[in-house]
Amino acid sequence: MKRMITAAAVMLSGICVSAQTISSWVTSPDRSNLFTPQGKVADFEEKRNERAAYIVVDPARSYQTMDGFGFALTGGSAEHLMKMTPSARHEILREMFDPKEGMAFSYIRLTLGASDLNSFVFSYDDLPEGKEDFKLKHFSLSQDLKDVVPVMNEILGLNPSIRIMSSPWSAPVWMKESGDVRGGKLRKDCYQVYAEYFVKYVQAMEKEGIHIDAVTIQNEPLNSRNTPSMPWDPADQAEFVKNHLGPEFRKAGLDTEIVVFDHNCDRPDYALAIYNDPEAAQYVSGAAYHHYRGDLSAMSYVYEARPDKKIYFTEQMTVERPGMDHIDIAWPVRRLIIGVTRNWSSNVVLWNLAADPLNDPHTDNGGCSMCQGAITIDGDKVTRNLAYYVIAHASRLVPPGSKRIFSTAPGERAISICEDEQHPQMWRTNVIEKADVPDNVTFLTPQGKIVMILSNDSWSRKEVNIQYNGKFARIRLEPGSAATYVWDAE
């Protein structure tokens, strides 16, 4: 794997000497290619195929700026990484996070306290039953200092500019109405101390050299079945933001963004209800989504209603059966890279970074027993799984700061210019109302590269025609494959 990544880095530095040349990285369903560089695959030419529907690429029409692509670094993920020998751990972290020679994963989601993929439940202010701590005198990062903090600092040593978001699964038990880690709402008289708890967390992580770029207020606020979990309705979340969390962040001088919702695409109303309260909306940078329910288009609905607020995609489990001789790459690339970014998300974060061969650890009574990591860690042995390659198809070649640009999507109108059958040298316009082009998304990078990600989620080989700056290219993508194509913008 080390040789492949080094080769890819060398090829990346030397490819695309002109806008005439397209190079590619491919993952094939038979695993013969696993995000493997293919070198030059096509040239742009003057001649056009009159009968073809083209993917037209237009950098003049740009959309959201990308913050990055990556994974959740859960406590369980960090626990496994810390059990590796230092040299083995550094090698796999370098492979994943080095922006020059690795896969350049560029976004991390941390859990603010325990998630359901921890060995046990904890918060940063746990107390004996019946005790309270409104002054937060017992606040401590002690558990994270054993695993999450050292792993995160090692990642920052490889990529100091990686973006970090944190999400809580629950407030400390003593702040909850139920007195239970599973379910139970936050007590109203604890809204202020919980806001101060967020501030203490951000400040404590900063002291450890870890800048938290954004926090979501609650992971899956409409799901009380996880251990831990805590339900919040939008009216209460708005009250918490406008009267407590927002003012506390402002008073403390924090630039950490506040993100609402952090749940499925079946509830576009949730974030919009909070935005409809201007006192709350002033503190909120955007809303986060998962895709276990609903349609990805919900993110576009929210964006269209409030284009001043960002869209984030913060979680999706992406798994495969261990030991399979094929990889089902096309569908998740189509859904989670192409679909998510075409619906305005500024990031793509999958669940989660690492687990062991049994998908441990996870909590009992609501922990995820099927959540495979992007990598499986067994001692110092590492297996790269489906999610690893899904994110690699974007992260390796679409760095933060890249802008999504226009490219023809399936079913959109396409225009073909063709010669009249009866009158040579007379040219006609042929309108294709619903273009038969493969699923794709295209970006313009800060380095001046055009990057197109394609998915062929079909049983037949696709002939793909691309139009860019008045020139034309043809490439082929095998059934069940995903590919990333790169050429110079100028």
Side-chain angles (χ1 to χ4, degrees):
M1 189 66 184
K2 181 179 179 181
R3 291 180 181 174
M4 184 275 283
I5 292 189
T6 303
V10 171
M11 290 188 68
L12 183 61
S13 64
I15 64 170
C16 305
V17 294
S18 76
Q20 306 301 109
T21 300
I22 301 175
S23 296
S24 73
W25 278 254
V26 173
T27 297
S28 304
D30 64 359
R31 295 187 182 267
S32 58
N33 295 298
L34 291 170
F35 192 64
T36 305
Q38 306 294 303
K40 172 183 167 181
V41 294
D43 289 318
F44 280 101
E45 300 175 345
E46 301 286 348
K47 187 177 180 180
R48 176 182 187 130
N49 181 345
E50 296 179 7
R51 299 179 182 275
Y54 277 81
I55 298 175
V56 177
V57 177
D58 182 9
R61 285 181 278 180
S62 64
Y63 307 100
Q64 77 272 29
T65 300
M66 300 307 300
D67 289 339
F69 302 86
F71 297 94
L73 177 66
T74 60
S77 298
E79 179 183 323
H80 288 307
L81 285 160
M82 288 303 294
K83 289 178 180 177
M84 301 176 77
T85 61
S87 60
R89 179 176 63 252
H90 184 75
E91 185 60 26
I92 188 58
L93 290 178
R94 187 195 67 81
E95 177 189 309
M96 293 191 291
F97 293 100
D98 190 308
K100 294 182 179 179
E101 296 190 357
M103 290 301 177
F105 299 156
S106 50
Y107 209 107
I108 286 287
R109 184 186 185 213
L110 299 178
T111 64
L112 204 160
S115 76
D116 57 306
L117 294 189
N118 274 80
S119 301
F120 56 92
V121 176
F122 69 91
S123 77
Y124 302 119
D125 197 339
D126 288 327
L127 299 172
E129 186 175 354
K131 299 291 185 180
E132 296 177 337
D133 182 19
F134 280 86
K135 299 294 185 182
L136 297 177
K137 293 181 178 179
H138 300 284
F139 182 95
S140 173
L141 286 181
S142 58
Q143 181 57 40
D144 281 356
L145 293 174
K146 299 175 184 177
D147 41 42
V148 171
V149 167
V151 170
M152 198 64 247
N153 276 320
E154 195 164 349
I155 291 170
L156 286 165
L158 294 162
N159 182 1
S161 62
I162 195 166
R163 290 186 67 85
I164 304 167
M165 173 184 281
S166 290
S167 304
W169 267 238
S170 175
V173 168
W174 60 269
M175 297 186 191
K176 301 175 72 175
E177 292 177 350
S178 64
D180 194 339
V181 296
R182 189 173 194 247
K185 297 175 67 175
L186 183 68
R187 288 163 43 187
K188 286 291 183 85
D189 64 331
C190 288
Y191 275 28
Q192 180 60 29
V193 69
Y194 194 42
E196 294 167 5
Y197 178 91
F198 272 86
V199 171
K200 275 190 169 289
Y201 169 78
V202 173
Q203 291 174 335
M205 291 295 273
E206 193 74 45
K207 288 179 182 178
E208 298 299 329
I210 301 168
H211 180 72
I212 305 300
D213 296 286
V215 294
T216 68
I217 297 171
Q218 173 63 38
N219 174 73
E220 298 190 347
L222 303 177
N223 174 17
S224 296
R225 294 176 295 177
N226 276 349
T227 300
S229 55
M230 189 172 76
W232 272 26
D233 63 37
D236 287 342
Q237 204 164 98
E239 179 186 344
F240 177 67
V241 171
K242 71 180 179 182
N243 294 329
H244 304 281
L245 188 62
E248 283 301 311
F249 271 30
R250 185 170 291 177
K251 185 172 72 174
L254 302 182
D255 63 359
T256 300
E257 296 176 348
I258 296 173
V259 180
V260 298
F261 192 42
D262 204 7
H263 208 168
N264 286 325
C265 289
D266 59 345
R267 289 293 304 272
D269 60 295
Y270 194 110
L272 293 177
I274 296 173
Y275 297 163
N276 204 43
D277 184 333
E279 292 183 65
Q282 66 174 316
Y283 298 110
V284 177
S285 69
Y289 294 87
H290 307 175
H291 194 218
Y292 301 110
R293 290 184 180 179
D295 192 89
L296 290 171
S297 61
M299 296 190 294
S300 285
Y301 300 153
V302 175
Y303 177 81
E304 289 164 12
R306 288 299 297 264
D308 56 316
K309 301 299 185 184
K310 291 176 68 173
I311 300 291
Y312 304 83
F313 190 84
T314 49
E315 183 179 320
Q316 184 64 45
M317 179 179 66
T318 307
V319 303
E320 62 181 341
R321 191 166 65 247
M324 293 177 68
D325 59 3
H326 68 280
I327 183 169
D328 184 17
I329 189 70
W331 168 240
V333 167
R334 174 187 172 189
R335 180 166 67 114
L336 300 174
I337 302 298
I338 298 170
V340 167
T341 57
R342 275 192 174 270
N343 282 286
W344 290 98
S345 183
S346 63
N347 69 344
V348 181
V349 178
L350 301 187
W351 182 254
N352 65 311
L353 185 66
D356 70 9
L358 298 176
N359 300 330
D360 285 333
H362 58 83
T363 59
D364 297 330
N365 190 30
C368 180
S369 61
M370 64 184 75
C371 288
Q372 182 185 57
I375 58 172
T376 297
I377 298 176
D378 188 2
D380 279 353
K381 180 184 176 183
V382 174
T383 304
R384 296 150 192 85
N385 301 316
L386 174 62
Y388 176 100
Y389 296 107
V390 170
I391 290 295
H393 268 282
S395 65
R396 182 67 185 88
L397 299 162
V398 184
S402 299
K403 282 189 174 291
R404 179 169 69 91
I405 59 175
F406 176 84
S407 58
T408 308
E412 289 184 339
R413 186 169 59 198
I415 308 296
S416 175
I417 302 171
C418 55
E419 193 171 24
D420 188 276
E421 290 180 313
Q422 296 296 328
H423 304 91
Q425 300 304 307
M426 181 177 288
W427 299 94
R428 304 288 189 188
T429 300
N430 179 33
V431 178
I432 304 170
E433 289 295 342
K434 294 185 178 181
D436 183 20
V437 298
D439 292 279
N440 67 89
V441 67
T442 306
F443 303 90
L444 173 62
T445 76
Q447 295 75 29
K449 304 292 184 185
I450 302 292
V451 181
M452 177 183 286
I453 301 170
L454 282 172
S455 167
N456 182 5
D457 187 26
S458 77
W459 294 99
S460 59
R461 185 173 68 175
K462 291 283 187 180
E463 187 172 273
V464 185
N465 296 278
I466 302 171
Q467 176 185 321
Y468 178 72
N469 277 355
K471 294 187 178 181
F472 311 94
R474 182 174 64 183
I475 55 182
R476 292 179 176 87
L477 186 59
E478 297 301 315
S481 298
T484 304
Y485 298 94
V486 186
W487 65 91
D488 273 356
E490 299 296 335

